[in-house]
Amino acid sequence: MGQKSEPPEFDQLYVLRLDGDGTPRGARFAILRDSIVSAAMDVGCRIMIRQPPEVSALARKLPLGYVLGTGKVVKLLIPRIGYDLYRQILEATCTAGIDKKTRIAAAVSTTVH
């Protein structure tokens, strides 16, 4: 059940992890499925779903991940990636999270009287 085509605008799911020896791995998936998320969690991946445009722009550089098996139990093949890309995506994710919290706090402060 490997993915054959890429979506035109964005991917639904990105996964990142470090192997036991510190090698970064990452992949993107066009389809958001419980089985893929569960398999990624089982191997200790950081899971990023529907990220903001600044994160997606970097994460689109990740190779496509492959799903082996069908049904509820699947196995993922997550390719090796460069450390710089791994670091850049994590930094963009943190920055996007801080920006989101700041916007929420600003919205709350202007609506609470």
Side-chain angles (χ1 to χ4, degrees):
M1 183 174 135
Q3 296 178 0
K4 297 191 189 245
S5 63
E6 296 184 33
E9 296 178 23
F10 67 96
D11 292 301
Q12 294 284 323
L13 173 67
Y14 306 104
V15 297
L16 293 173
R17 77 182 191 111
L18 289 175
D19 277 348
D21 63 352
T23 302
R25 292 185 175 267
R28 56 192 169 94
F29 297 89
I31 300 169
L32 178 60
R33 293 203 176 143
D34 290 342
S35 59
I36 296 173
V37 173
S38 179
M41 288 173 56
D42 288 346
V43 294
C45 288
R46 175 181 289 251
I47 300 164
M48 299 175 290
I49 300 171
R50 295 186 185 118
Q51 293 296 302
E54 56 272 8
V55 177
S56 291
L58 282 170
R60 291 273 305 153
K61 296 177 183 178
L62 291 170
L64 282 173
Y66 293 95
V67 180
L68 300 176
T70 59
K72 292 184 180 185
V73 179
V74 297
K75 182 175 179 174
L76 301 181
L77 292 178
I78 303 171
R80 291 181 181 174
I81 60 171
Y83 183 76
D84 287 338
L85 179 58
Y86 177 83
R87 183 185 49 76
Q88 289 171 350
I89 293 171
L90 289 181
E91 286 175 359
T93 303
C94 290
T95 302
I98 292 169
D99 290 345
K100 182 178 179 180
K101 288 179 184 176
T102 303
R103 286 192 310 271
I104 291 171
V108 168
S109 69
T110 59
T111 58
V112 176
H113 298 291

